């Protein structure tokens, strides 16, 4: 496990030399973008591992999705002004260029864990002027809840749509 973490960090530092640490890792996410023109969600053509990373300079934290579907990775700074909203298997937020993004997480507990990790990083940034994190962030204890029929239907639609790509 330690070797895998070191390999991930090495790969990420090739993208951004200022990355110091992986704060959190989520094995599979898909990115959706809100289309104002169509008034609907579009798949962004980007899915893969999501990393929440700490950097040595500003912006101190970034979300990076290493794209398994193509050559373009998703990289977005996390600031104290970035607002994240949790809904079902998704976390929604607005990028710095005002694009609305939906992160769909394969594992049902990952969205809440991700949002908690981001909130912790943002709080640390405010209270300690974006410090270097010395200890791993705590993982919240989540209880499994049976998905609602609406959540199962949404998951089925996402899976069917992903098979069309």
């Amino acid at each position: 496990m330690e070797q895998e973490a070191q390999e991930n960090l090495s790969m990420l530092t090739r993208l951004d030399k200022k990355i110091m640490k992986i704060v959190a890792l989520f094995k599979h996410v898909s990115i959706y973008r809100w289309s104002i023109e169509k008034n609907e969600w579009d798949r962004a053509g980007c899915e893969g591992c999501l990393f929440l990373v700490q950097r040595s300079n500003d912006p101190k934290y970034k979300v990076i999705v290493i794209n398994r579907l193509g050559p373009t990775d998703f990289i977005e700074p996390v600031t104290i002004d970035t607002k994240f909203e949790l809904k079902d298997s998704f976390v929604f937020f607005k990028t710095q260029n005002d694009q609305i993004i939906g992160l769909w997480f394969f594992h049902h507990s990952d969205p809440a864990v991700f949002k908690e990790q981001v909130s912790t990083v943002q709080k640390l940034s405010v209270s300690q002027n974006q410090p270097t994190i010395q200890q791993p962030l705590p993982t919240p204890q989540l209880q499994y809840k049976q998905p609602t029929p609406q959540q199962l239907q949404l998951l089925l639609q996402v899976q069917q749509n992903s098979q069309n790509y």
Side-chain angles (χ1 to χ4, degrees):
M1 189 68 152
E2 181 63 34
Q3 181 180 357
E4 182 180 354
Q6 200 55 38
E7 288 171 0
N8 285 333
L9 184 59
S10 176
M11 180 228 4
L12 289 167
T13 55
R14 279 182 251 142
L15 288 175
D16 181 345
K17 301 269 186 243
K18 303 294 183 181
I19 293 175
M20 301 173 6
K21 180 178 181 174
I22 297 171
V23 177
L25 162 68
F26 300 89
K27 294 286 185 182
H28 189 84
V29 300
S30 292
I31 298 177
Y32 291 81
R33 288 189 170 94
W34 180 252
S35 170
I36 296 172
E37 297 82 28
K38 296 191 272 183
N39 200 32
E40 66 183 21
W41 289 100
D42 287 333
R43 288 193 66 154
C46 183
E47 60 183 61
C49 288
L50 180 148
F51 297 89
L52 176 60
V53 297
Q54 181 183 9
R55 302 176 72 248
S56 60
N57 63 349
D58 289 335
K60 289 289 188 181
Y61 300 98
K62 285 185 177 179
V63 170
I64 299 175
V65 176
I66 302 300
N67 191 4
R68 292 182 185 140
L69 300 179
T72 306
D73 298 323
F74 177 83
I75 302 172
E76 185 67 26
V78 176
T79 68
I80 58 172
D81 298 321
T82 311
K83 305 292 184 233
F84 292 88
E85 183 179 325
L86 174 66
K87 184 164 175 59
D88 299 324
S89 294
F90 289 88
V91 173
F92 301 99
F93 66 98
K94 189 183 283 190
T95 66
Q96 289 187 328
N97 62 358
D98 291 331
Q99 194 168 39
I100 300 172
I101 297 293
L103 299 173
W104 176 80
F105 291 79
F106 180 76
H107 296 288
H108 72 278
S109 62
D110 283 354
V113 174
F114 171 78
K115 186 167 184 313
E116 182 64 31
Q117 294 284 350
V118 168
S119 295
T120 301
V121 162
Q122 288 174 316
K123 288 175 188 170
L124 285 171
S125 296
V126 170
S127 66
Q128 299 174 6
N129 197 18
Q130 299 183 328
T132 301
I133 299 173
Q134 299 299 326
Q135 298 295 322
L137 297 173
T139 301
Q141 298 299 317
L142 302 173
Q143 296 180 357
Y144 176 74
K145 292 182 181 177
Q146 185 67 30
T148 65
Q150 294 86 359
Q151 290 170 327
L152 291 172
Q153 183 64 31
L154 179 62
L155 178 60
L156 183 59
Q157 288 172 348
V158 169
Q159 288 173 334
Q160 288 172 345
N161 288 341
S162 70
Q163 292 172 357
N164 293 334
Y165 282 92

